[in-house]
Amino acid sequence: MAQTASNMLPLGSKAKNFNLKDTVSQNMVSLDSAKGLHATVIMFICNHCPFVKHVNAELVKMAKAYTSKGVNFIAISSNDVENYPQDSPDKMTQNAIEEGYIFPYLYDQTQEVAKAYQAACTPDFYVFDKDLLLTYRGQLDDSRPGNDIPVTGSDLRHALDCVLANTENKQEQKPSIGCNIKWKVS
């Protein structure tokens, strides 16, 4: 498994708009249409990455816990599907249904959205406040496949709790670690 770290986009960055196809509903979804009332979590994930598979259940659990608090979750896959067909939109649909995703799972075919967010790995997490300003970027928690640390989502949960309480997140923001985004070769 390759271990690529997040690029750590500067805090305070404004969320970049997008309009991508949701592989489950088949509808186009924009940032404005999917953002949360109080916070928005944007996650770059994919189907085949062992790091994403390791945290999938926690992502669903967190989305269920925080959606009622005005936090919306948006998952985006930007991988090159020619070389990684297991991440194709039809497989994304299947994966989202099997995992029980309650959030849109969008396909970034051009990879422009991943580039705009400086996403580097899967999973890569970003938390934006109600004004779509970045308050957190980095890891879900310290758990990784094979390290025997339970998946709790503690870092992301703390970041969301800070946004909801309108308090500064003073906790160290550690980069996410995962598989590199599979960039298209020009």
Side-chain angles (χ1 to χ4, degrees):
M1 277 185 298
Q3 294 193 12
T4 301
S6 298
N7 284 323
M8 304 301 277
L9 191 65
L11 294 175
S13 296
K14 183 83 170 172
K16 305 291 186 192
N17 201 13
F18 51 77
N19 192 33
L20 300 171
K21 189 173 198 174
D22 177 16
T23 59
V24 177
S25 71
Q26 304 304 311
N27 294 327
M28 296 302 289
V29 174
S30 68
L31 175 60
D32 284 339
S33 70
K35 69 182 180 181
L37 181 63
H38 300 297
T40 304
V41 178
I42 296 178
M43 312 174 282
F44 287 87
I45 64 172
C46 70
N47 297 338
H48 84 275
C49 173
F51 292 91
V52 174
K53 288 180 178 184
H54 183 70
V55 300
N56 262 328
E58 183 61 25
L59 298 180
V60 172
K61 186 176 172 183
M62 286 183 69
K64 288 179 179 175
Y66 282 91
T67 299
S68 64
K69 298 176 184 181
V71 178
N72 284 2
F73 288 68
I74 303 166
I76 301 172
S77 179
S78 301
N79 279 355
D80 171 14
V81 300
E82 274 190 43
N83 291 307
Y84 297 87
Q86 62 271 48
D87 291 328
S88 66
D90 60 319
K91 300 271 195 308
M92 289 170 62
T93 306
Q94 181 182 347
N95 190 65
I97 293 167
E98 288 172 1
E99 294 292 340
Y101 289 175
I102 64 165
F103 41 80
Y105 191 14
L106 310 179
Y107 176 47
D108 178 19
Q109 181 176 2
T110 65
Q111 301 184 318
E112 288 176 16
V113 178
K115 289 174 185 171
Y117 281 82
Q118 297 179 27
C121 60
T122 56
D124 215 346
F125 298 96
Y126 302 81
V127 175
F128 295 91
D129 66 13
K130 65 181 177 10
D131 298 318
L132 294 176
L133 298 177
L134 185 66
T135 63
Y136 179 82
R137 73 287 193 248
Q139 69 177 12
L140 183 71
D141 57 31
D142 289 323
S143 183
R144 305 287 184 268
N147 76 358
D148 295 327
I149 297 173
V151 179
T152 63
S154 59
D155 292 53
L156 188 57
R157 286 178 186 275
H158 178 76
L160 290 172
D161 291 343
C162 287
V163 171
L164 292 173
N166 202 26
T167 59
E168 183 183 349
N169 181 356
K170 295 183 180 181
Q171 184 174 301
E172 177 189 2
Q173 296 190 19
K174 300 175 190 173
S176 187
I177 302 288
C179 298
N180 63 302
I181 289 182
K182 309 307 183 208
W183 300 107
K184 294 177 182 179
V185 180
S186 307

